[in-house]
Short mmCIF file of all heavy atoms in Angstrom, two decimals:
data_model
loop_
_atom_site.label_atom_id
_atom_site.label_comp_id
_atom_site.label_asym_id
_atom_site.label_seq_id
_atom_site.Cartn_x
_atom_site.Cartn_y
_atom_site.Cartn_z
N LEU Z 1 1.14 5.66 -18.42
CA LEU Z 1 1.91 6.12 -17.25
C LEU Z 1 1.00 6.34 -16.04
O LEU Z 1 1.40 6.06 -14.90
CB LEU Z 1 2.65 7.40 -17.59
CG LEU Z 1 3.84 7.26 -18.57
CD1 LEU Z 1 4.48 8.62 -18.83
CD2 LEU Z 1 4.86 6.27 -18.02
N ALA Z 2 -0.21 6.85 -16.29
CA ALA Z 2 -1.16 7.00 -15.18
C ALA Z 2 -1.48 5.65 -14.56
O ALA Z 2 -1.56 5.51 -13.33
CB ALA Z 2 -2.43 7.69 -15.66
N GLY Z 3 -1.62 4.63 -15.40
CA GLY Z 3 -1.88 3.28 -14.90
C GLY Z 3 -0.71 2.73 -14.11
O GLY Z 3 -0.89 2.03 -13.10
N VAL Z 4 0.51 3.06 -14.53
CA VAL Z 4 1.70 2.62 -13.80
C VAL Z 4 1.72 3.21 -12.40
O VAL Z 4 1.98 2.50 -11.41
CB VAL Z 4 2.98 3.02 -14.57
CG1 VAL Z 4 4.22 2.85 -13.68
CG2 VAL Z 4 3.12 2.20 -15.84
N LEU Z 5 1.44 4.51 -12.28
CA LEU Z 5 1.44 5.15 -10.96
C LEU Z 5 0.29 4.64 -10.10
O LEU Z 5 0.43 4.48 -8.88
CB LEU Z 5 1.37 6.67 -11.11
CG LEU Z 5 2.59 7.34 -11.73
CD1 LEU Z 5 2.46 8.86 -11.65
CD2 LEU Z 5 3.88 6.88 -11.06
N PHE Z 6 -0.85 4.37 -10.71
CA PHE Z 6 -1.98 3.82 -9.97
C PHE Z 6 -1.62 2.43 -9.44
O PHE Z 6 -1.93 2.10 -8.29
CB PHE Z 6 -3.19 3.74 -10.90
CG PHE Z 6 -4.51 3.57 -10.19
CD1 PHE Z 6 -4.92 4.45 -9.20
CD2 PHE Z 6 -5.38 2.54 -10.55
CE1 PHE Z 6 -6.14 4.31 -8.57
CE2 PHE Z 6 -6.60 2.38 -9.92
CZ PHE Z 6 -6.99 3.27 -8.93
N GLY Z 7 -0.94 1.62 -10.26
CA GLY Z 7 -0.51 0.31 -9.80
C GLY Z 7 0.54 0.41 -8.71
O GLY Z 7 0.52 -0.36 -7.74
N LEU Z 8 1.46 1.40 -8.83
CA LEU Z 8 2.47 1.60 -7.79
C LEU Z 8 1.81 1.96 -6.46
O LEU Z 8 2.22 1.45 -5.40
CB LEU Z 8 3.42 2.73 -8.22
CG LEU Z 8 4.44 3.20 -7.18
CD1 LEU Z 8 5.42 2.08 -6.84
CD2 LEU Z 8 5.18 4.44 -7.67
N PHE Z 9 0.81 2.81 -6.50
CA PHE Z 9 0.09 3.22 -5.29
C PHE Z 9 -0.41 1.99 -4.52
O PHE Z 9 -0.18 1.86 -3.31
CB PHE Z 9 -1.08 4.12 -5.69
CG PHE Z 9 -2.02 4.47 -4.57
CD1 PHE Z 9 -1.70 5.50 -3.68
CD2 PHE Z 9 -3.22 3.80 -4.40
CE1 PHE Z 9 -2.57 5.83 -2.64
CE2 PHE Z 9 -4.08 4.13 -3.38
CZ PHE Z 9 -3.76 5.14 -2.50
N PHE Z 10 -1.05 1.06 -5.22
CA PHE Z 10 -1.60 -0.10 -4.55
C PHE Z 10 -0.54 -1.16 -4.25
O PHE Z 10 -0.67 -1.90 -3.27
CB PHE Z 10 -2.72 -0.70 -5.40
CG PHE Z 10 -3.98 0.11 -5.37
CD1 PHE Z 10 -4.43 0.76 -6.51
CD2 PHE Z 10 -4.72 0.25 -4.21
CE1 PHE Z 10 -5.59 1.52 -6.50
CE2 PHE Z 10 -5.88 1.00 -4.18
CZ PHE Z 10 -6.32 1.64 -5.31
N ALA Z 11 0.49 -1.24 -5.09
CA ALA Z 11 1.54 -2.23 -4.84
C ALA Z 11 2.20 -2.00 -3.48
O ALA Z 11 2.51 -2.95 -2.76
CB ALA Z 11 2.58 -2.17 -5.96
N LEU Z 12 2.40 -0.76 -3.12
CA LEU Z 12 3.03 -0.44 -1.84
C LEU Z 12 2.14 -0.84 -0.66
O LEU Z 12 2.62 -1.07 0.45
CB LEU Z 12 3.37 1.05 -1.77
CG LEU Z 12 4.46 1.48 -2.75
CD1 LEU Z 12 4.53 3.00 -2.84
CD2 LEU Z 12 5.81 0.91 -2.34
N GLY Z 13 0.84 -0.93 -0.91
CA GLY Z 13 -0.07 -1.36 0.15
C GLY Z 13 0.17 -2.78 0.62
O GLY Z 13 -0.22 -3.14 1.74
N VAL Z 14 0.81 -3.60 -0.22
CA VAL Z 14 1.11 -4.97 0.17
C VAL Z 14 2.00 -4.98 1.41
O VAL Z 14 1.92 -5.88 2.25
CB VAL Z 14 1.80 -5.72 -1.00
CG1 VAL Z 14 2.21 -7.12 -0.58
CG2 VAL Z 14 0.85 -5.77 -2.20
N VAL Z 15 2.85 -3.98 1.56
CA VAL Z 15 3.70 -3.84 2.75
C VAL Z 15 3.02 -2.96 3.80
O VAL Z 15 3.05 -3.26 5.00
CB VAL Z 15 5.07 -3.25 2.37
CG1 VAL Z 15 5.90 -2.97 3.62
CG2 VAL Z 15 5.82 -4.20 1.44
N ILE Z 16 2.39 -1.88 3.36
CA ILE Z 16 1.81 -0.90 4.29
C ILE Z 16 0.68 -1.51 5.12
O ILE Z 16 0.58 -1.26 6.33
CB ILE Z 16 1.31 0.33 3.51
CG1 ILE Z 16 2.50 1.13 2.99
CG2 ILE Z 16 0.42 1.22 4.38
CD1 ILE Z 16 2.14 2.20 2.01
N GLN Z 17 -0.17 -2.32 4.50
CA GLN Z 17 -1.31 -2.88 5.23
C GLN Z 17 -0.88 -3.79 6.39
O GLN Z 17 -1.33 -3.60 7.51
CB GLN Z 17 -2.22 -3.65 4.26
CG GLN Z 17 -2.88 -2.78 3.21
CD GLN Z 17 -4.20 -2.19 3.69
OE1 GLN Z 17 -4.46 -2.12 4.88
NE2 GLN Z 17 -5.02 -1.76 2.76
N PRO Z 18 -0.01 -4.78 6.15
CA PRO Z 18 0.41 -5.61 7.29
C PRO Z 18 1.14 -4.81 8.37
O PRO Z 18 0.95 -5.06 9.57
CB PRO Z 18 1.34 -6.65 6.65
CG PRO Z 18 0.93 -6.70 5.22
CD PRO Z 18 0.51 -5.30 4.87
N LEU Z 19 1.99 -3.87 7.96
CA LEU Z 19 2.70 -3.06 8.95
C LEU Z 19 1.75 -2.18 9.75
O LEU Z 19 1.92 -2.00 10.95
CB LEU Z 19 3.76 -2.20 8.26
CG LEU Z 19 4.99 -2.95 7.73
CD1 LEU Z 19 5.94 -1.98 7.03
CD2 LEU Z 19 5.71 -3.70 8.85
N SER Z 20 0.72 -1.64 9.09
CA SER Z 20 -0.28 -0.83 9.80
C SER Z 20 -1.04 -1.68 10.80
O SER Z 20 -1.31 -1.25 11.93
CB SER Z 20 -1.25 -0.19 8.80
OG SER Z 20 -0.59 0.69 7.93
N GLY Z 21 -1.40 -2.90 10.38
CA GLY Z 21 -2.09 -3.80 11.30
C GLY Z 21 -1.22 -4.19 12.49
O GLY Z 21 -1.69 -4.18 13.63
N ALA Z 22 0.04 -4.49 12.23
CA ALA Z 22 0.95 -4.83 13.32
C ALA Z 22 1.18 -3.63 14.24
O ALA Z 22 1.25 -3.78 15.46
CB ALA Z 22 2.29 -5.32 12.74
N ALA Z 23 1.26 -2.42 13.65
CA ALA Z 23 1.43 -1.21 14.46
C ALA Z 23 0.22 -0.99 15.34
O ALA Z 23 0.34 -0.63 16.52
CB ALA Z 23 1.66 0.00 13.55
N TYR Z 24 -0.97 -1.22 14.80
CA TYR Z 24 -2.19 -1.08 15.61
C TYR Z 24 -2.16 -2.04 16.80
O TYR Z 24 -2.52 -1.68 17.92
CB TYR Z 24 -3.43 -1.33 14.76
CG TYR Z 24 -4.69 -1.39 15.60
CD1 TYR Z 24 -5.36 -0.22 15.96
CD2 TYR Z 24 -5.17 -2.60 16.08
CE1 TYR Z 24 -6.48 -0.26 16.77
CE2 TYR Z 24 -6.29 -2.66 16.90
CZ TYR Z 24 -6.93 -1.49 17.23
OH TYR Z 24 -8.04 -1.54 18.05
N ASP Z 25 -1.76 -3.30 16.53
CA ASP Z 25 -1.70 -4.29 17.61
C ASP Z 25 -0.79 -3.83 18.75
O ASP Z 25 -1.00 -4.20 19.90
CB ASP Z 25 -1.19 -5.63 17.06
CG ASP Z 25 -2.23 -6.35 16.22
OD1 ASP Z 25 -3.43 -6.05 16.35
OD2 ASP Z 25 -1.83 -7.21 15.41
#
């Protein structure tokens, strides 16, 4: 279960990273 939450944490970054970059622009 700890591994599942760790994977969830990074999985959301697939959306958060591009949106953060676009927001910075």
